[in-house]
Amino acid sequence: KACTAMKEHGSSANRLFRPPLFVETGPHQSDVFGSPLQTIPCDRKSWYWPLLFTARGDLQDLVYNDLLRFLLPTYAGTHWLKFGLLTCCQLGLLVWSFFRAFQLDDNDREQAARLLNVLVVVEFMALLAWIAYMLPTLQALKCDWMNPQVTNRNRMPIHVPMGLYASRRQAREGCCQWDLPARPAYPKSNLWRLDSTSPDDKSWQFRLCQNVEQALAVAEEQYDIDGWNPIVVPGNWMRQGYDKPIYTNMKYPWPCQPPLIPIKENPTGIYKRKVELPVDWSLADGSDYSIVLQGVESACYVYWNGEKVGFSKDSRLSATFDVTPFIADGTNELTVVVIRWSDGSYVEDQDDWWLAGIHRSVELVRRPRRADILQYLVHAKDSGELNIQVYCRSPIGRTKEARKLTFELLEDEHVVSDDSLGKNVWKAGPRLWEDKVHIAENVDSCSISARICPIRQWTAETPHLYTLVITMSYDDGITAQAEACRVGFRTVSIQKNGQVCVNGKAITICGVNRHEHDPDDGKVVSIESMKRDVCLLKQNNFNSVRTSHYPNHSAFYRICDFYGMFVCDEANIETHGMKPMGRLAHCPGWEACFVSRVARVVQRDYNHASVIFWSMGNEAGRGRNFVKARKTIQQIDNSRPIVYESGGALAEGSGRSELTDIVCTMYPSVPRAVDLATRSDDDRPVILCEYSHAMGNSNGNVHLYWREIWDKNVPRLQGGYIWDMVDQGMRVSGHDKNSCYFAYGGDFGDEINDKQFCINGLFSPDREPHPAVAEVKFLQQPVVFEPMEPYLNSTHLRITVSGTKERCHASVRFNMTSRYSFRDLSHLTWSWSITGNRAESPIRRGTFELSSAEQVQEVTIELDKVLSRLIQLEKSRPIGGNSYFLNLRGRLKAGESWADAGHLLVSQQFPVFFSFENFDIQPPKAPLPPAAVSSTLSAEMTDDTATIFWRRNEEERVLAAFDRETGALVSYCPRRENILEAPLVPNFTRAATDNDRGGMELILDFMFPIKGLKELVGSVFGGNDFSYVSQWSFAGLTQDRPPLTRCNNFKIAEVILTDQYTCTAECQIVHAVWGTTLFNTTVHYTVFSNGQIKVSQKLVPSAVLRRLPSLPRVGLTMQLIPSLCSVGYFGRGPGENYPDRKSGSEFGLYSTTPAEMGYSYIVPSENGSRSDCEFISFRSPEGEGLLIVADKELVCFSALSQTASQLDNATHTCDLPPAKNGTTPISVNIDHKLMGIGGDVSWY
């Protein structure tokens, strides 16, 4: 242990968290990370051309940023420079014109003088106009909220969450709470949370002003608040009846002229609250008081008792102000002026809703006179080495009082995950270590080290935590202050093989990006919601969260520490709407903004074991400000890698720049991702910061990414973060009071918006899993089984049954591989089952055991118990044969903090062929059937229709009817009633998904804002926005104008020997508008005397379709009567799946209904499909219905209560009719081929 004075940095108030900035980092990095982080090779010529340019001031910066920041100024300095240069040029031209008039000859003096006089007047007027235009701008730049060089006024340094506890017991209990204990729930706390206690609480009063000047005038004049309205805090005023929410992805909802913000139209809210100090708080005891705003968007002024206290920007980190000079006994008044737009908004363009207000808690903090701990940083390594740095304030006025710090590490246990009042949330454990340090009166920092042995390491799989208590006391022995935090011992490193390791073992990031979002409260996210999010992720095999694109509520990190979740902690920076993206990152005037935002998140979240990466932001270019921000992080903390994706443009680095320790490209193709991880000129790990855009019905092809991520031949490809977790929809009332739907950009009258690009989560806003979650869960599961060589066949496991009928034996062997990096398998219980195509329930179940310690092992599954039943099934096998599947399951043996016992974590299915070669298994001879009912067919042709009649027992009725104009089956009556509500016709269209529509239109609007330019680009490159829908529309394959079917020839032929009719329709599928032939098709209907119809179709596409990248689908569609609402099928299920998203969907016999089969995406689209189906049945409550059997190839199908046209035309779920079984016709699609739903990207 050691005490050190840091006198070289000035007074204690200045040296806290303000070390010398931007010094070069030393060689100690290589000791921490295992290999130098700057691993870019010296021979930069081997890199592709965009990376020849760095953020250190060479050619790219000169052309791309330096020149542009003068042409397009971004702060006061360059605005003044531009004003001065242009003004001088105009003055020079004016002076030249004036003197030129006196140098003319007498011959042409008169005529030229008139021209020069006109020129002088014009130039003078232009100069006056220029000055008049620029003066308001220059005047506005003096405002704090439009000056990026002013990040705050009087804001206190940020620190880790501190409870200012009066005793070590309070500290031990407090650190096991999700949020810091505070009044009024904890009466002895030195923190008083001033939040509204209920929606009816009227403590906070609110007034919305049109602009900042008006709001400041109201706040400073101390107007009476009579007539103001109550408001809930925390809350966004847009969700409480004021102003309107705005959603943009990369646009700014105001003219992009940094740092300028609209002056006349900048909604500004004034919050007021009376504060009556608790009776046990006295101003006479020397305590200090501060007000803490945990989160305010986007900037705010704070007043206490009418006195201006300070100013702050940064919407996602706390702002603390000292109010000790202004506080009074009795009733005080707090006023917060919240500015919706500020220059800080330019760096908060984060693909999220713009929602202003106080969206996190407001706290009044009392610091007792002798509570001198201001900050403490804890670094606990996997070796058991514990390093603690404590910063204290000097004991002003108390120079004779000796101070002592006591450090304790205890094995306390957070025993429950619910810390509601009345719950015992912690259990005291033994003390593992204790030490004391005496601090001299002139020393304001103390460091201490210890080695704890043995120790249990923290990981996302094994989140073991300890309690560290730091107590400050004086000679009188009274505890002046106690602080505590939960500590996890772990080390993050980048090894020489280019892999990220935790505690020396390589990890795989099964991650997701997460916005803080609540469908009702906007950016106000409750503790319960945070816990639910983390538990949902754990239950679905995720192990990491990227806090896109800003620091989260401090409680979220405690929750991640407890449950076990790796965190990529991101700074509150994104300038997606900048052109070019790096304008602000390169501008010296924005240096303070960038560096302070990055440094403050590190200073707040340093102690959390769950934080394994620091992220400097997202899509903000690659400029000098990030170089300085990176050096600042390294100076504060060099124990974690730094990541940063500078932007999608090649000129911005695409996640491969020198600013990042990990290659973190977003949305690469699978080959591109593999290439990044196998390059010989780069040895950094590759973790995709964003991939698989989950917008609507999406996440197709994600299995291709995970096939490469789990491939041991690509070890540096270590996972990624899906974009993103939750649809950011806002719940609003529907057409009637009892209904609601989720709104998105443009639904609130916001004219500048990016539509539904905020609806791109794996979960709905109320956390209902999308169907894609099952796919991702399967691909990320922690254990995988692979059949051993003797049992492998091309598509099935081949299991030979040996022995006799009385004593037969069969088994199968697998190689099991555990993907856990740190945990054994003792927490899982294993089972198997055999299922088939003749019953929904398993044929037989059983259990098996795995060694809990081995990562790779052989496992044998004995199947003797099922064989007798299989023999019985084989004896009675149907004509199509039996299909069998072996299903392996791994479930939680006991309940975890994040899931109950029995929760399914591992599932894998294998098709099985049982070989009974040594057994003589013959199906028994079927008894003679009863006398068959005599059935014969006859046909009749008219000009419009062709009808097949069915004569049974002297009764003749219609069996099937065909439209000769279209060749469609329009009537099918197997039981007297026609079961078709709409005819059976060829189908080549679908209700467009978000990926089908793409987002290129939004990108083109952003890139070419001038009217007509987007259309010009579209006409040059073809199509309007390059999307699938655009190209399908051009080809006539969309729902709004579906192609037409024209039957050129319809023939009926009778086959006398088999008593059947063959109907042949030779048709053309034509463009609905142009009449162009798209397909030539021949449809064959074979009608049998038993009532069955066999349908086959032959298609020949025309040349005009060759330019299409893909057809939406090739199949048939029809509508069935509502009563056939009991749906059964044998295929992949039970949930929705598609050809490119079916790995996690298992074969089985499933039953469902049209209302249950679909999924209500927020933006209605194609949904509800099931892949690889062998047969499909539709039954009425009476048991009668329709059976569809695939002939040779398996088919995809869907049966929904809404038509494809209804889905395609609807923009919200409220636009659709209710999905009710038995009342609406059933829209059925039978698809030979169905295009996947994609999801690599959603914008082209």
Side-chain angles (χ1 to χ4, degrees), residues 381-530:
K381 299 181 180 180
D382 62 339
S383 62
E385 182 179 345
L386 180 64
N387 300 299
I388 307 168
Q389 183 81 23
V390 180
Y391 297 88
C392 306
R393 63 178 178 180
S394 299
I396 302 173
R398 298 178 278 113
T399 56
K400 295 183 179 181
E401 293 182 311
R403 299 176 294 176
K404 178 178 67 177
L405 286 175
T406 302
F407 300 87
E408 297 175 273
L409 188 72
L410 303 115
E411 204 167 5
D412 291 352
E413 184 179 357
H414 190 160
V415 294
V416 297
S417 58
D418 183 4
D419 62 355
S420 302
L421 289 179
K423 297 282 187 179
N424 181 22
V425 300
W426 73 292
K427 180 180 179 181
R431 182 188 295 117
L432 302 180
W433 166 76
E434 182 181 16
D435 208 340
K436 299 179 181 180
V437 175
H438 293 271
I439 308 176
E441 61 186 39
N442 62 340
V443 173
D444 56 9
S445 72
C446 170
S447 61
I448 188 170
S449 299
R451 184 173 292 276
I452 315 299
C453 186
I455 205 72
R456 293 187 298 171
Q457 299 171 348
W458 186 96
T459 71
E461 298 167 12
T462 56
H464 300 301
L465 293 171
Y466 299 84
T467 295
L468 173 69
V469 180
I470 305 174
T471 307
M472 172 170 279
S473 58
Y474 288 79
D475 290 339
D476 54 13
I478 298 175
T479 298
Q481 182 182 357
E483 298 296 338
C485 69
R486 299 287 279 170
V487 174
F489 287 81
R490 63 102 186 91
T491 298
V492 186
S493 61
I494 298 178
Q495 301 294 346
K496 293 182 179 179
N497 62 358
Q499 287 186 302
V500 174
C501 294
V502 172
N503 303 338
K505 295 183 179 180
I507 61 172
T508 299
I509 295 297
C510 303
V512 69
N513 288 271
R514 176 183 175 272
H515 270 300
E516 288 186 314
H517 179 78
D518 185 274
D520 301 306
D521 299 325
K523 295 185 178 180
V524 182
V525 180
S526 66
I527 300 292
E528 289 303 316
S529 178
M530 298 179 208

Side-chain angles (χ1 to χ4, degrees), residues 1052-1091:
I1052 296 181
E1054 181 180 7
V1055 183
I1056 300 175
L1057 293 178
T1058 55
D1059 193 17
Q1060 65 187 44
Y1061 280 87
T1062 299
C1063 306
T1064 303
E1066 297 176 357
C1067 305
Q1068 287 181 315
I1069 311 298
V1070 300
H1071 196 292
V1073 177
W1074 303 333
T1076 309
T1077 299
L1078 304 177
F1079 299 93
N1080 289 304
T1081 177
T1082 302
V1083 185
H1084 296 280
Y1085 303 94
T1086 304
V1087 184
F1088 297 93
S1089 60
N1090 62 1

Side-chain angles (χ1 to χ4, degrees), residues 34 146 182 199 292 363 477 632 738 825 1183 1223:
M146 283 191 280
V292 182
E363 298 163 355
T632 303
N738 297 323
L825 303 179
T1223 59

